[in-house]
Amino acid sequence: RKTGPGFVLILIIHPLLHRSRSAVELQGNAYNGLLIAINPQVPEDEKIIPNIKEMITEASFYLFNATKRRVYFSNITILIPATWKTNNYGKPKQESYEKADVIVAAPYWKHGNDPYTLQYGECGEKGTYIHFTPKFLLKDRLIDIYGSRGRVFVHEWAHLRWGVFDEYDSERPFYISGQNQVKATRCSSDLTGIYVCEEKICAQGNCVINHVTGLFKEGCKFIHDKSQNASSSIMYMPSLSSVVEFCDASNHNTEAPNLQNKMCSYKSTWDTIMSSADFKSNFPMIGTSLPPPPIFSLLQSQDRVICLVLDVSSSMNEVVKNRDAETSGSTIVLLTAGEDSSISNCFSEVKNSGSVIHIIALGSSAAKELEQLANMTGGLNFFATDRLDSNSLIDVFSGILSRSGDTSNQSVQIESAGESTGAYKHFNKTVTIDSTIGKNTFFVVTWQKNRLPDITLLDPSGKRYTNEDFEIDSGLHRAHLQIPEIAEAGDWTYVVTNTHNSSQVLTVAVTSRAVNSSIPLITVKAHTNKVVNFYPSPMIVYAQVSHGFGPILGANVTAIIEPEDGDPIILKLLDNGAGADVVKDDGVYSKYLFSFSGNGRYSLKLHVQQDNKTIRPHPPMPWSPAMYIPGYVENGKIQMNAPRPSVNEDDSQVRLGSFSRTVSGESFIVSSVPSGPYSDMFPPCKVIDFGARTEDNKIILSWTAPGDDFDQGQGRF
Ligand SMILES: *[C@@H]1O[C@H](CO)[C@@H](O)[C@H](O)[C@H]1NC(C)=O
Ligand SMILES: *[C@@H]1O[C@H](CO)[C@@H](O)[C@H](O)[C@H]1NC(C)=O
Ligand SMILES: *[C@@H]1O[C@H](CO)[C@@H](O)[C@H](O)[C@H]1NC(C)=O
Ligand SMILES: *[C@@H]1O[C@H](CO)[C@@H](O)[C@H](O)[C@H]1NC(C)=O
Ligand SMILES: *[C@@H]1O[C@H](CO)[C@@H](O)[C@H](O)[C@H]1NC(C)=O
Ligand SMILES: *[C@@H]1O[C@H](CO)[C@@H](O)[C@H](O)[C@H]1NC(C)=O
Ligand SMILES: *[C@@H]1O[C@H](CO)[C@@H](O)[C@H](O)[C@H]1NC(C)=O
Ligand SMILES: *[C@@H]1O[C@H](CO)[C@@H](O)[C@H](O)[C@H]1NC(C)=O
Ligand SMILES: *[C@@H]1O[C@H](CO)[C@@H](O)[C@H](O)[C@H]1NC(C)=O
Ligand SMILES: *[C@@H]1O[C@H](CO)[C@@H](O)[C@H](O)[C@H]1NC(C)=O
Ligand SMILES: [Ca+2]
């Protein structure tokens, strides 16, 4: 084996961003375990916590009524960052910023306060988190613009929990109805208001039809009556006081060109919600009494004890029992290659231990129950193959992160490469240190045979590092170099020469940290949409590439998926809004995964690379944010809100130069793959970007063609 404890302990400090599943459970009619976390960079403000409590309390009653007495919020946890004053708050156990359902953090773009839900799954799939800015929670003038915070919360909760979509569409605010009339994209269509155009753009403020599109010209807006009779929909405009329900089959507007219709095949939001798992066996509360108000627990993040457990051949019981009350809330990283038939004996103890257990299953014989240990403690699951040419253990350790939301001292992996190198041959490559990183930069080289390879490393200005500069551990076959102070941004080239007279595997891994805590890091998160998959159902692999909260577009993203036995599957992930990729240009790259070579555990690794270029997202926020209400008509008078702050070029993206990242995602399990050859099982996927426009009396249709198998290969039409 090429690893030893010493090797592992050095690497344990390498974290990586990883979002794990929500811990919210529906028990009876009550949602328990909702986690709201405040980012460590948010300055302390004594009003934030009371305003969160007020928001959730209002939301709970509104939600209860909107779901016809089916669900409300009960136990809520608010996670306060370590950067805030201590105040006898509780100590977190399995809660961490990275797992939060709701985050409070700096805005997505500089002057924006739009609440939004990070949602890039299919219809009915859960979102990742809801993002509120501190200003949204503190500035009461924003209530006129977005509606009351509790109502906004229920709107976002429906995105997050039930995978429904908005019923407005800022890109397509109008449509031509079946009666050949121009209408505002909305639900229900009973909502009343007037069409108004800014005086600057249209004469006398009247909306004018554009003869090419048949729709109103730019500058025209639909201004709602403040007082309405229509009671839906919450996915449209919960800020209207009459709106207390979701659109259902009786009033759903199937003509509106919005995401809900596009993604959910014209099904109403209420019908989509009712078909979610929450309502399979849930019954409305009987009687007329209101549910109890939510209960809040306040916890404050603190440093976590990390304990590494290598290969427990005896029993998991020992590991958990030895943890006393002091270490509850610690993190255990369990690295195991063996079988342990008694794992399930300690499940209840594990569950009560208050520890988070991350699992690294090594090789193909690791016990089958391991995944459950991580599942019940909110830990992560990884699988490392024992193939010699992969750095899988190094990569996996980079996948275990401090998860506090503080990226200023977080290590990121830039390179992970390995190659079987012939006698006296060399292995060389160039890695890019980008402008966001450079502190604590490590180069780590490993080899197999009892002979130190020749290592040469050149920095961007030509300075040369050789074996003399590296710290060498010949017993572990490993050498490492920490670049003093800040590693220079640019291309670094390494050449590792095999000095042995037979061929061997040489590997190189490079990690670094943020250069300055005020510069956001370029980060990559890797995950699949399922933890267990049954053939022939397909999976989706996702990579989220971002700079702070901003998406990075146009990167080359390659997924390497390794089974227990057999060759890795290589996929190029795309951000093109077609096939598995729901939203174009949101920095989330996706691809279907369906051609499995066998059953068992699979590991996931991503390589992300980008040249020196800048592509700005358009619109600046790719996920549909809460509606910015232009104004209302009240007693026949138009009352306009302050206009939406405009997005300035510099706000949406800075020039980053070229960069690269290597990231491991959680492992997953595939079963029911037949052993023999199989016939063409896979249909082309659904077209989700179909469009039509008129030009010179012709209708031009456009769409991205799916593949023969989902989004891969060439379909025939
Ligand atoms: C509750 O919902 C019903 C419709 O289902 C509505 O008539 C009623 O006004 C709502 N009550 C409140 C307090 O929002
Ligand atoms: C919710 O909180 C109450 C009071 O703190 C507690 O009694 C109850 O067990 C909690 N429920 C859950 C599911 O955690
Ligand atoms: C609401 O309903 C009332 C009574 O039916 C009617 O008088 C009023 O005009 C309606 N308001 C709107 C905005 O449609
Ligand atoms: C974790 O376990 C629960 C209950 O056993 C199951 O419903 C859930 O799907 C599991 N989650 C994952 C991610 O495996
Ligand atoms: C950053 O992390 C390193 C290694 O864990 C530690 O030595 C250093 O003190 C940390 N720096 C800060 C500013 O927290
Ligand atoms: C690696 O070495 C080969 C042969 O010496 C050379 O052609 C190539 O340019 C080198 N690549 C890098 C990235 O330095
Ligand atoms: C490699 O070198 C060792 C001694 O260092 C020698 O015993 C062995 O025969 C050599 N192998 C080859 C393939 O030349
Ligand atoms: C970090 O960047 C900020 C703004 O760019 C600058 O003011 C500050 O001096 C930098 N800090 C360090 C330690 O370089
Ligand atoms: C990205 O992919 C394109 C096309 O495959 C290729 O031309 C380009 O060199 C790649 N860029 C990087 C940084 O790897
Ligand atoms: C990126 O390109 C710009 C101009 O295109 C250039 O000024 C800059 O130096 C380049 N940066 C790097 C790191 O190559
Ligand atoms: Ca995308």
Side-chain angles (χ1 to χ4, degrees):
R1 191 159 322 156
K2 66 172 176 170
T3 56
F7 184 74
V8 154
L9 287 172
I10 294 225
L11 289 161
I12 197 154
I13 52 175
H14 298 165
L16 169 143
L17 295 164
H18 215 295
R19 175 149 296 279
S20 139
R21 304 152 298 263
S22 161
V24 176
E25 282 184 70
L26 182 60
Q27 291 164 331
N29 299 93
Y31 282 119
N32 279 312
L34 179 73
L35 179 61
I36 301 173
I38 301 168
N39 188 288
Q41 305 248 350
V42 170
E44 182 155 8
D45 188 308
E46 58 181 14
K47 298 269 313 167
I48 288 185
I49 292 169
N51 286 7
I52 290 174
K53 290 183 175 176
E54 199 180 293
M55 169 173 78
I56 303 293
T57 306
E58 182 196 359
S60 187
F61 292 113
Y62 187 63
L63 179 70
F64 182 71
N65 194 51
T67 58
K68 321 281 179 232
R69 306 181 58 82
R70 282 179 174 83
V71 290
Y72 62 93
F73 294 110
S74 179
N75 290 14
I76 317 284
T77 303
I78 303 178
L79 190 60
I80 295 153
T83 47
W84 286 25
K85 285 197 300 284
T86 55
N87 186 13
N88 281 329
Y89 299 121
K91 184 175 165 181
K93 289 183 169 173
Q94 290 158 355
E95 297 84 1
S96 70
Y97 179 84
E98 288 296 316
K99 282 165 56 185
D101 305 288
V102 180
I103 57 171
V104 178
Y108 181 91
W109 56 276
K110 215 165 163 185
H111 304 293
N113 283 294
D114 297 333
Y116 69 96
T117 302
L118 177 58
Q119 181 190 18
Y120 48 81
E122 296 169 312
C123 179
E125 256 180 61
K126 288 191 171 67
T128 310
Y129 57 72
I130 298 169
H131 178 175
F132 293 122
T133 67
K135 273 198 186 142
F136 172 79
L137 293 170
L138 293 169
K139 299 274 179 257
D140 289 344
R141 64 179 168 80
L142 292 177
I143 292 174
D144 288 338
I145 283 163
Y146 299 107
S148 74
R149 297 185 189 110
R151 287 175 172 233
V152 173
F153 187 83
V154 172
H155 173 101
E156 299 303 332
W157 175 257
H159 283 302
L160 182 77
R161 183 74 185 181
W162 303 312
V164 294
F165 295 85
D166 286 325
E167 292 173 315
Y168 46 85
D169 195 305
S170 55
E171 298 284 286
R172 284 166 295 266
F174 304 108
Y175 67 98
I176 302 173
S177 75
Q179 280 85 40
N180 220 2
Q181 285 174 312
V182 180
K183 297 223 166 142
T185 300
R186 65 195 194 280
C187 203
S188 69
S189 51
D190 300 336
L191 288 165
T192 57
I194 56 172
Y195 295 93
V196 185
C197 186
E198 281 173 57
E199 301 264 350
K200 280 191 292 220
I201 303 174
C202 318
Q204 279 105 44
N206 291 328
C207 286
V208 196
I209 302 266
N210 170 337
H211 289 288
V212 176
T213 61
L215 299 171
F216 289 128
K217 280 190 179 154
E218 228 173 282
C220 182
K221 290 194 165 70
F222 185 67
I223 310 291
H224 297 79
D225 292 320
K226 191 151 198 171
S227 144
Q228 298 266 353
N229 292 341
S231 62
S232 45
S233 168
I234 293 172
M235 293 319 284
Y236 181 69
M237 207 167 157
S239 52
L240 290 169
S241 59
S242 71
V243 169
V244 291
E245 296 178 293
F246 293 93
C247 263
D248 62 17
S250 74
N251 54 17
H252 176 59
N253 178 0
T254 52
E255 290 184 327
N258 55 26
L259 264 186
Q260 172 63 23
N261 277 332
K262 181 166 130 182
M263 296 302 300
C264 299
S265 308
Y266 305 94
K267 205 159 134 179
S268 73
T269 46
W270 177 251
D271 289 332
T272 309
I273 291 168
M274 281 301 118
S275 50
S276 85
D278 280 354
F279 298 103
K280 288 256 154 68
S281 55
N282 163 287
F283 299 99
M285 263 168 71
I286 45 175
T288 54
S289 59
L290 288 176
I295 300 165
F296 297 89
S297 330
L298 304 185
L299 307 179
Q300 187 166 32
S301 300
Q302 36 191 271
D303 288 341
R304 296 178 78 96
V305 175
I306 298 188
C307 162
L308 178 68
V309 180
L310 292 171
D311 219 0
V312 266
S313 41
S314 54
S315 165
M316 265 305 293
N317 264 319
E318 304 301 313
V319 178
V320 184
K321 270 194 191 133
N322 287 340
R323 323 219 55 73
D324 52 38
E326 284 286 290
T327 51
S328 153
S330 64
T331 300
I332 297 172
V333 179
L334 172 62
L335 175 67
T336 176
E339 305 243 16
D340 182 351
S341 54
S342 62
I343 287 183
S344 54
N345 298 346
C346 65
F347 278 177
S348 65
E349 210 139 2
V350 164
K351 198 160 184 166
N352 298 328
S353 70
S355 299
V356 174
I357 304 184
H358 301 303
I359 301 291
I360 304 174
L362 190 60
S364 54
S365 56
K368 297 296 169 231
E369 295 85 3
L370 283 169
E371 273 80 7
Q372 287 192 44
L373 283 179
N375 177 335
M376 60 181 54
T377 61
L380 305 172
N381 274 303
F382 293 97
F383 165 60
T385 54
D386 31 26
R387 289 159 58 107
L388 280 167
D389 58 346
S390 76
N391 265 330
S392 50
L393 263 186
I394 296 184
D395 302 342
V396 154
F397 273 102
S398 324
I400 294 170
L401 126 122
S402 66
R403 309 212 289 172
S404 68
D406 179 9
T407 57
S408 63
N409 198 24
Q410 212 165 63
S411 170
V412 289
Q413 189 168 7
I414 302 153
E415 169 82 332
S416 167
E419 204 165 274
S420 177
T421 312
Y424 313 115
K425 293 275 192 292
H426 67 256
F427 164 44
N428 66 344
K429 258 183 90 181
T430 298
V431 296
T432 307
I433 304 279
D434 58 83
S435 54
T436 68
I437 50 172
K439 228 163 56 181
N440 289 342
T441 306
F442 279 91
F443 282 77
V444 179
V445 179
T446 73
W447 59 95
Q448 285 179 283
K449 302 279 163 74
N450 269 328
R451 235 189 121 91
L452 177 65
D454 268 339
I455 310 169
T456 309
L457 174 65
L458 282 178
D459 81 5
S461 43
K463 180 170 165 26
R464 179 185 292 266
Y465 298 87
T466 60
N467 288 30
E468 284 75 61
D469 304 298
F470 276 75
E471 210 164 290
I472 292 166
D473 187 329
S474 15
L476 292 173
H477 295 182
R478 189 178 69 93
H480 77 262
L481 168 69
Q482 178 174 8
I483 307 299
E485 295 171 30
I486 306 288
E488 190 183 338
D491 288 347
W492 292 61
T493 304
Y494 60 80
V495 184
V496 186
T497 309
N498 181 6
T499 56
H500 198 267
N501 66 0
S502 63
S503 103
Q504 64 169 325
V505 172
L506 304 174
T507 77
V508 176
V510 184
T511 58
S512 187
R513 286 170 199 247
V515 65
N516 177 335
S517 59
S518 63
I519 298 177
L521 278 182
I522 296 171
T523 54
V524 177
K525 300 180 197 186
H527 69 107
T528 53
N529 65 335
K530 293 181 202 167
V531 183
V532 179
N533 189 51
F534 296 93
Y535 184 90
S537 153
M539 299 177 68
I540 300 174
V541 181
Y542 294 106
Q544 189 189 355
V545 187
S546 46
H547 178 230
F549 285 105
I552 293 179
L553 310 187
N556 287 6
V557 181
T558 312
I560 298 134
I561 295 136
E562 285 194 88
E564 289 177 6
D565 302 299
D567 293 331
I569 305 165
I570 313 285
L571 292 178
K572 193 166 162 36
L573 312 191
L574 299 177
D575 185 12
N576 60 353
D581 193 62
V582 168
V583 186
K584 183 180 161 72
D585 289 348
D586 64 348
V588 177
Y589 299 71
S590 337
K591 199 75 162 187
Y592 282 109
L593 168 63
F594 51 85
S595 56
F596 304 102
S597 57
N599 293 314
R601 292 191 176 96
Y602 282 71
S603 70
L604 166 65
K605 184 160 114 178
L606 290 177
H607 280 303
V608 179
Q609 271 196 306
Q610 198 187 44
D611 301 330
N612 182 9
K613 63 181 170 190
T614 305
I615 304 174
R616 274 171 224 288
H618 177 83
M621 186 186 296
W623 304 291
S624 179
M627 189 197 279
Y628 190 98
I629 298 156
Y632 293 103
V633 183
E634 200 172 1
N635 304 323
K637 282 213 193 85
I638 300 172
Q639 302 279 350
M640 294 301 274
N641 283 325
R644 193 164 196 273
S646 62
V647 184
N648 156 327
E649 290 258 296
D650 302 338
D651 293 340
S652 53
Q653 201 162 348
V654 293
R655 176 171 276 280
L656 294 168
S658 50
F659 70 88
S660 65
R661 291 286 183 275
T662 296
V663 156
S664 284
E666 279 194 83
S667 56
F668 56 90
I669 297 174
V670 174
S671 62
S672 312
V673 178
S675 51
Y678 42 82
S679 56
D680 186 357
M681 300 285 298
F682 310 111
C685 61
K686 182 172 145 184
V687 172
I688 56 173
D689 60 350
F690 189 84
R693 67 194 154 83
T694 54
E695 205 176 290
D696 302 337
N697 292 329
K698 287 192 203 110
I699 297 173
I700 313 243
L701 305 179
S702 65
W703 70 92
T704 308
D708 180 19
D709 298 328
F710 300 110
D711 54 0
Q712 284 153 54
Q714 180 98 55
R716 283 182 299 274
F717 297 93

